[in-house]
Amino acid sequence: MKNGRNKLIVGLGNPGDKYELSWHNLGWLAVDLLARKRHLAMRRLRFEAYFDDYRLNEQKVFVMKPLTYMNNSGRAIRQALNFYNLKPEDIIVIYDDIDLDFGILRIRDRGSSAHHNGIKSVISELGSENFTRIRLGFGPQDRSRELIPQVLEWIPKDKQTATLELLEKAVIAAEMIITEGVGYAQARMNGRVVE
């Protein structure tokens, strides 16, 4: 991905107080952390999203939190891509993944949705699987319970400190992808980053 083009970092999640600290909002929470680190207001409403931008070295980085709800996240991303003439390869999407154990971070530069409705929407809207993802594990899934209530549960207090560490690693990974390339970031960041 390191090619001098502008980049777009997207955190997937759902708007509204009832989802604020849910597992399904890990992408939003990572972008909130990035916004604090880079002193971004994230108050501009553009492309059906909270939106801002900053410079990382010589590259412009756009930052987005779609307000379309998880299952329509791709719609907001497509609007930003079209407006800024970006390619799918210029995007980094950060999101939750119950299929990965808690504390595991996995970077991929392409692939299927793996049943994640937010990623399914992005692939559908962009017509491409060739965008970088940062998957944040919060599993394992309890197979005796329905999936949706598990992803919408709030992060329990005893895991909030470790979750913050996971989000911090996601921010480091996103910026490392931009400055050093996907392969470098995968070699340094993929795996268990929080105990």
Side-chain angles (χ1 to χ4, degrees):
M1 182 177 274
K2 184 181 169 190
N3 62 14
R5 291 175 54 88
N6 294 336
K7 305 298 181 209
L8 172 63
I9 298 174
V10 183
L12 298 190
N14 287 311
D17 292 345
K18 77 181 207 175
Y19 302 111
E20 184 181 6
L21 292 177
S22 70
W23 290 117
H24 220 26
N25 268 26
L26 287 178
W28 263 41
L29 294 169
V31 164
D32 286 342
L33 198 61
L34 172 63
R36 285 195 295 276
K37 176 181 177 181
R38 295 295 177 182
H39 309 290
L40 307 179
M42 294 301 294
R43 289 198 191 102
R44 274 192 283 166
L45 286 173
R46 298 192 73 182
F47 317 114
E48 298 181 86
Y50 291 125
F51 196 83
D52 214 330
D53 61 77
Y54 70 103
R55 288 214 161 266
L56 182 61
N57 297 339
E58 298 304 312
Q59 288 183 270
K60 188 166 221 179
V61 180
F62 302 106
V63 185
M64 167 184 272
K65 290 169 55 176
L67 294 167
T68 51
Y69 288 93
M70 181 67 78
N71 294 358
N72 293 306
S73 299
R75 191 171 76 213
I77 296 169
R78 178 179 43 78
Q79 292 175 56
L81 249 64
N82 291 344
F83 187 85
Y84 289 110
N85 195 29
L86 300 173
K87 296 179 180 179
E89 295 82 9
D90 299 321
I91 305 170
I92 301 166
V93 182
I94 307 173
Y95 63 100
D96 62 288
D97 194 333
I98 198 170
D99 292 328
L100 296 177
D101 285 349
F102 178 76
I104 291 178
L105 182 150
R106 181 130 329 128
I107 300 166
R108 297 177 66 196
D109 61 357
R110 63 179 50 88
S112 71
S113 66
H115 310 295
H116 191 287
N117 287 333
I119 295 299
K120 199 177 291 184
S121 170
V122 177
I123 291 170
S124 173
E125 290 283 347
L126 301 186
S128 174
E129 295 182 348
N130 297 331
F131 56 89
T132 302
R133 309 106 196 269
I134 300 175
R135 300 160 56 203
L136 304 179
F138 72 97
Q141 178 182 347
D142 180 350
R143 300 286 176 185
S144 69
R145 297 173 54 210
E146 287 186 39
L147 176 63
I148 291 173
Q150 292 181 67
V151 300
L152 295 180
E153 281 178 357
W154 276 41
I155 301 162
K157 287 191 174 177
D158 65 341
K159 285 198 168 174
Q160 287 180 4
T161 299
T163 300
L164 179 58
E165 289 180 49
L166 180 61
L167 298 173
E168 288 169 346
K169 299 290 187 183
V171 170
I172 292 167
E175 293 196 330
M176 189 182 291
I177 289 165
I178 294 168
T179 59
E180 305 297 337
V182 175
Y184 182 92
Q186 286 173 317
R188 299 300 184 282
M189 302 298 295
N190 273 358
R192 179 168 295 284
V193 294
V194 175
E195 292 302 325

